Structures are given as C-alpha cells and as structure tokens.
Amino acid sequence: MGSKKVTSRRNFLKGSVAIAGASVAGAASANSADPLIADVQDWASITGVGVDETPYGLPISFEKDVVRRNVEWLTASPISSINFTPIHALDGTITPQGCAFERHHSGAIELRKEDYRLMINGLVDTPLVFTYSDLERFPRENHVYFCECAANTGMEWAGAQLNGAQFTHGMIHNMEYTGVPLRTLLNEAGLGAAGDLKDKWVYVEGADASSNGRSIPMEKALDDVLVAFKANGEALRMEHGYPVRLVVPGWEGNMWVKWLRRIEVSDAAVESREETSKYTDVYEDGTARKWTWVMDAKSVITSPSPQMPIDHSTGPMVISGLAWSGHGKITRVDVSRDGGITWEAARLGKQGDTKALTRFYLDTEWDGKAMLLQSRAMDETGYVQPTKQQLREMRGENSVYHNNCIQTWFVDENGVVENVEVS
Amino acid sequence: MGSSRMSKSLNQLVLPIAGGTALAISAALLVANLDYGQNQIESLERRVEQVSLQAEDASKRASEEAQVVTELRAKIEEIQTSAKEQMASGENLREYAPRNDGKFGLGREAVSEEIAAWDVDVLPDGRGLPEGRGDAYTGEEVFADKCASCHGDFAEGVDNWPVLAGGFDTLADKDPVKTVGSYWPYLSTVWDYVHRSMPFGEAQTLTADETYAIVAYILYSNDLVDDDFELSHENFADFEMHNRDGFVVDDRPELEYAKWRTEPCMENCKPSVEITMRATFLDVTPEDGGESVMNHATAQDTPTFVATAAAPEAVEGDADGGPASSPAIDPALLTSGEKVFKKCKACHAVGEGAKNKSGPQLNGLIGRQMGSVAGFKYSKVFVAAHGEGRVWDEAALVEFLAKPKSYMKGTKMAFSGLKKEDDLAAITAYLKSFGE
C-alpha cells in the first residue's frame, strides 16, 4: 500500500511548473513514440481481476483521494460533527452516497428495517404506527434534490478561511430519492382533528440518541416533503439515516431528519434546541433571525479550485461548477475572470431541476494569466446570488448560517488556486 | 431499420429459385439438340413444367411476404408515432404519485403507552412537562456527576464542548458567546434537550426530577436564580429567559429578496478589484485537503505562490486501528466487545492513533498505571490512584465498569455502568486486544 506514491494533482502540477509551460503528455506533436503506445503494457497482456472480486464495487485505488474530509477543529468530537463532500473532484450533478457529506449529532446508528417504527401522533384522527414494509406499500415518487447544511460556507463569514471548494462548499449533496410523500402519511392518519391547517405544524424527530427534532409548517409538510428510503436507487447509507429519512426539498439540511421515528401534528412550533440555540442567524446588533428554512440561490466553481489547480498549459480550458436554489430552478449562471468587473454567461449542463444541483460549464481558453474566478447564480424567482459585501451589509459577520455569497478563487500564472476575498 | 433488412433477405430467397429455373430450361434445350430419345424429352419437359410451377409458387409466396413486410412497417410506424404523441402529451409520465384522498388502511393504531414513551417533547408554554421538581443545590451534584466532563463544573465548557453559562451582552460582539443564559429564548428548550438528548452517550436516562435539578443549576450558573431556587412543573411557565425577545421570524423576503431580484450587471460592474483577504494566512485547512501553500507575503502584496512539494497523505484502507488478532481470544467475544464499546465511544477512543477525548485514550489499558495517560486531566480520585501506583488489571476494570462511581468515588466519568456479566467480559476482552 505504502510502497508506491500515488501521483497526485499536486505532484503533477509541480512537474508542469518545473518545465514552465512546456507541453506535457497529450500534446499535439511528439518527437518520439510514446512507450505507452509503442510498448505492450502489462494490462494489455496479463489478465485482470475476475468478477466478484469486489461484490459491492468501490472506486479504483487511483481515486482514493476523492473522499469526505473532516475539519477537526470545528467540533469537539467526530460523533457530533460534520464532514465535507469532495465536490471539487466530482462532475455532473448526482453525489455518490459514499462521498456525500455526513452530519451527526450523536453519531450514525445501525437501525435494522425490522426494528424500524414510524409514529404519527398529535392532532390526527388516528395516531398510527408504521413498519418499514408498510411504507413500501404506499405510492412512491422519485425526485432529485440537493441537501445543504445551513452552515455550508459558514466559516467564511469573517474572511476567506478554508482553502478548497470541498471545505468552503462541501456541506451539500444531491441525490435521487425514492419515498412516500409526507402528505400521504398525514392523510392516512387523518388531519380532521387538526382543524384549520393554516397555523398548524408538523414536528419531526429522529430515533438516534440526539433525537434531533424540527418543526415544519403544515403548508410545507403537505407540499413536497418526502419520507424517503432509497437514494440513487439503493438503500440509504447508515450515515444518511438508514432505513428512513425525511427529505425537505430546498430547506436547510438539519430539517432532513434521519432515522425518522415520529411525526407529530401540533398547533405550535416546539422551539427545539436545533431551531432556537442553533440554526438561528445572529445579526450585527445581536438580534437573531429564526425559522430561516429556505436555502437561497448559490453557486461555486469546483474546477479550477484550490484542490483542483490548472494542470495544463495555455489553450482550451473548462471552468466548471455547481449552482442551486431552494426556491426552484437555476435559470442562469454567470462567470467572471476578473473578480466581478466583467461577467459572461456560462452553459448549463442541462435544464435546471427544481431544488436540485445544476452543473455549469464555461468552455474557454486560458491565456496563462492570473484570474480572480467567480460564479453568480440566478434562480427562477429572479434572485441573484449576492456578494459577500451585500450579505455583510445586511447581516453582519456573525450569522454562521446561510452564507450564500459569491466565492472568489485566485488563480496564479502557474495555475495554483487559492481562496481569497476581493474588494 | 429492421423491416428493410427483412425485405432484403426476401429478395435473396426469390433470386436463387428463378435462377434455378433458367438453368433447368437451358439444360433441356441442350439435351434436345443432341437428339436424345422422345421419352427423355417428354420427361424433361415435365420436369421443366414442374420447376416453372414451383418458381411461380415461390414468387407468389415472396410477394405475399413482401406484402406482410409492408404492413409490418406501417404498423411499426404507427406505434412509434403513437409513442411520440404519448411522450409529448405526458400520458406515460407520472412523476407524482396519484393523489389519494381515501385511506390505504396501512399501519396500525398507536397504543397510549407507545405515544407516552416517544412523545416527550416540551413546548414553550410548558405543555409536555412531567410532574417533578429539583433545586440548584441538587442540580450541582447531578451536573458534576453527569455533565461536567464535557461542560465543565461551572458550565463553562471543556475544550470545544458547548459553554452553557455567561456571555451576557456579547451577542452584538464580533464573537458572540451564545449560551443558555445569553441566547436561548425558552426554558422549555433546555428542559426538553437535557431530558431527551443528554447526557451525551447516555441520552434518555435522566429522571424528571434530575432534569429539573440540572436545569435549575444551569440557571444558577448563569446567575439567573439563587442557589436555593427550586424548579418544578408548577413554576416552570413563570420563568422568562433573558433573550426571549431577541428573535425575529425570517425577514429575508422583505429585506433581501426585494433587493436582490434584479437584472445583474455584466460589464464594468466595478472600477477595480483587489485581493483583501487570503485563506492561506490562517493555515486552518486540513493537511490532506490538497491545498496549496504560499510564500510569507502580506495581504497587500500581489500574491505569489509555489506549489507544495508534499504528496497528500495516502488514505489507508487498512490499519484503521481494529483489534489486533490474537488466537488466544475468542473472535465472537471481540465482536460483542466492539458492540459494547459503542457505549464508551462518545468519550473514549481506542486503536491506532487514538487520542484523548473527554475521557483518556484506552490503548494498552490492561497493565497500565491508573491515571497515567499524558495530557489527560484526571479527576482527583484517579490522581490519587496514580500516586498509589495502582494498575489496571482485568478484575479492576470489571469492577470499575460495573459500578464506576462506587469503585472510583468522584470519577468524572458520567457512565452509569454495565449491568450484564457478558458485556463486562466482552468489553474487557476487547480492550485487552489493543496494545500500546
């Protein structure tokens, strides 16, 4: 394992810097035959591994750097902590479960489907208990949604701090969920007892030791909330709430209660720890915003970025990134190379899905000069992603949560990228 | 595509038959010229007749088959057109499950004991509180016993664990200290959270009275009540928190959306731009993140960079500190020991690279002098045990883990103990499997 050094992008970059822009492998002309082509390689001669070598497939060893990472100093213990999706190394929009960020309050638990129970109680006609197999008998839907922690980019309020898109923007993932609409289950229990639904709430709670609980207004609960049991076609991972989690499209990740065990219809918000002492946003004057559920439109360039330096010479270059909005579809993303003086429209990889990640590309040329790269998302409500200055003017620097500012990467002449803040 | 291939193969079928007929006729003429006998001619003529009849038959069949092909083609076209129409009209697309206002009859009615067991949340107006009481004096003892290992004896917070007291008048500062006293708007939240989610690693073990006492002590540690203050279900609703009016409901729609729903600027959006802050100054990014390292420049300088020489730490797939295999130990016992250890994980680490958490790391525990892990702040009783030269052996460990607080009176360890003999044997075997 340790005998061979894995070629990293950084090593590669170092090599390319040393030969100062000279063309490297893959260039248009060559003086001598490439031994990778001219000589018979081992893999073209010796047979490879058989089927069943890895009954559940894992990424090839060369990709072992594409993993979730933790920032240890952020929290007291990994049991109550968060890690980050390697968004810098992914493309497309779907996040593989194995590298989708984790956030636990009392650790990820192993809960068997057989031991799973879901209770609906409170202001319902009949309080009910469902087993896992009961849930699979209700009509179900498939939808792709992003899940973003409200604290994503939260370390960047007071200044540029972490060097990598994974760390500044990696508290997000995007999966295709299979689940039953929450409204179907509420209807099964009957909402007659709740009377006028306008001012009613649904309190949702997890089965783990933190029993994380959040209050959701009835209007949202009856809209697009899913009680999900599959992600990207397979069972949820333990760390994402196996066997059942809540999916609350467009709203902060903390509300996507994992190991969902109870749904209570209520006439008031519970004002639980997670919706008062946490996930509230302190203004400059010390007052705080509460019930800031929606994740506003946001985007980030994933490549180039500090962990993805430019590893090629001048000429064709793809600038790529992600955009999303909790208000609906992304309709447009602009990219600036000069720190926000001039902008050009990027190409959306495909038509934006509602409350899901949209991939954007700027297919361009690099002239070898330094750049200040920024991206700016717009959603279907016409909302334009704000600058950090705009956010600070409005909220100060102590909000912790909901930092959806425009991110700046400084790219130098060698293609090295750094997280910076600009005037 | 498929239909054109089919018609081609039909042509191939017809042609050899026609060709065969021609060959038979020319053969017959040749034979006649050579003046063979009349019988032979007649028989050949009959043969010619048969062959041409067969040819006629084959050709008829071919044209019938060609007709079928044409019909099939038309049919396929019809199906494809209809599929296209269905796609366009969305007839076969049912993204959303059918709305059903009736019942499915799934699930069963919850019984009242079940609801009582799970529905324990407490609302700001005190709904959901069980009867009970506890004063700050009692709370101090319970807190020292169950909470102080992370939150500190005075609720001041150990390491990175939450600070629960103080921080008044800091909410408008650069780094606000958000504690129960300075920030939390409702007392119900404290009671609910302590009772339901704490102590960390031993949640849902506190009695109602213990919870009232702990909450009273947290208020006392915030100087909000005197030390003889008793909190109960009766006076709970009267208590108003310091920051009760410190919150506004999300006003982004009025304050922000109205401003930021606008046509964005594309050119000459600002006169100039300069770098004002750089992440690398802080040097807080994890080492294996693939980050770059910069020269020691100041923020005002034009940044100059060098790429780092160090390769990222390879993420090892093995050697994650799992138990060392030893033939002397029953593997099943190790497995159950690993399960039991889940109860300890909130505060203790064991295995390769294990560090102290709110409890000391446990590598090489058996045979280790008590209170001897470097860098860990032990409680007095362990400092004393260390002084006496006491050593952890299996018997001591079993006795300690069965009743931590009676074996080591005054230990900071909040854990209440393992009741089952099997669990004690398993955890001992498991911990024994980790060397220094």
Side-chain angles (χ1 to χ4, degrees), chain A residues 1 8 10-11 13 64 69-71 73 75-77 79 105-106 110 117 119 121 126-130 134 137-139 141 143 160-163 167 183-184 187-188 190 203 205 209-211 261-262 264 267-273 276-277 280 282-294 296 306-307 327 332 334 338-343 376 378 381-384 386 390-391 394-395 397-398 402 410 412 416-423, chain B residues 95-110 114-115 118-124 127 160-162 171-176 178 183-186 189 192-193 196-197 200 203-204 246-252 255-257 259-280 282 284-292 294 303 305 307-312 314-318 342 345-346 355 357:
Chain A
M1 192 67 100
S8 73
R10 274 198 290 167
N11 282 344
L13 181 76
K64 68 180 173 190
R69 288 188 175 86
N70 179 14
V71 176
W73 55 265
T75 51
S77 157
I79 292 169
H105 296 83
S106 290
E110 286 182 42
R117 299 289 183 274
M119 181 187 290
N121 74 312
T126 314
L128 292 177
V129 172
F130 299 113
D134 287 336
R137 296 171 68 190
F138 287 102
E141 298 179 358
H143 299 282
Q161 185 160 180
L162 288 165
N163 222 11
F167 303 111
R183 86 176 87 79
T184 306
N187 184 61
E188 189 70 13
Y203 178 70
E205 182 182 272
S210 78
S211 63
R261 81 165 189 187
R262 198 168 69 90
E264 181 182 358
D267 60 5
V270 167
E271 302 283 6
S272 71
R273 185 243 195 188
T276 53
S277 78
T280 47
V282 179
Y283 285 139
E284 204 155 23
D285 69 358
T287 58
R289 268 181 185 155
K290 68 171 185 177
W291 302 351
T292 48
W293 302 306
V294 184
D296 291 332
Q307 296 156 287
H327 292 280
R332 172 175 150 190
D334 301 321
D338 56 13
I341 298 173
T342 324
W343 294 86
R376 180 178 69 190
M378 271 179 83
T381 71
Y383 176 96
V384 182
Q390 283 176 304
L391 281 178
M394 197 63 79
R395 308 185 197 164
E397 292 180 4
N398 290 331
H402 294 281
F410 173 70
D412 77 4
V416 175
V417 187
E418 188 193 343
N419 176 13
V420 299
E421 236 174 73
V422 293
S423 58
Chain B
E95 192 181 3
Y96 294 94
R99 299 286 282 250
N100 185 331
D101 293 331
K103 309 279 185 195
F104 292 88
L106 292 169
R108 60 156 177 88
E109 190 163 351
E114 291 171 334
I115 297 173
W118 275 8
D119 185 356
V120 294
D121 63 86
V122 181
L123 276 75
R127 273 185 292 167
N160 230 346
W161 296 102
L171 297 184
D173 294 355
K174 187 156 170 46
D175 291 305
K178 296 189 276 183
Y183 193 63
W184 292 36
Y186 305 106
T189 312
D192 181 40
Y193 186 68
R196 199 146 54 86
S197 310
F200 193 61
Q204 307 191 51
F247 293 81
V248 293
V249 172
D250 189 4
D251 51 8
R252 286 177 295 174
L255 293 181
E256 298 180 3
Y257 300 162
K259 260 192 176 173
W260 297 339
R261 283 179 180 151
T262 172
E263 187 57 32
C265 170
M266 295 302 281
E267 276 178 350
N268 302 316
C269 302
K270 49 189 172 187
S272 65
V273 66
E274 60 184 77
I275 294 171
T276 53
M277 173 78 190
R278 311 173 58 179
T280 37
L282 295 169
V284 289
T285 311
E287 275 302 309
D288 74 343
E291 85 280 20
S292 59
M294 54 163 291
F305 292 89
T308 56
V315 179
E316 295 290 339
D318 51 7
K342 282 184 178 177
K345 266 184 164 170
K355 288 182 192 142
K357 298 165 82 174

Side-chain angles (χ1 to χ4, degrees), chain A residues 92-106:
Chain A
T93 57
I94 295 293
T95 315
Q97 292 202 72
C99 65
F101 83 95
E102 309 166 78
R103 171 45 167 144
H104 316 310
H105 296 83
S106 290

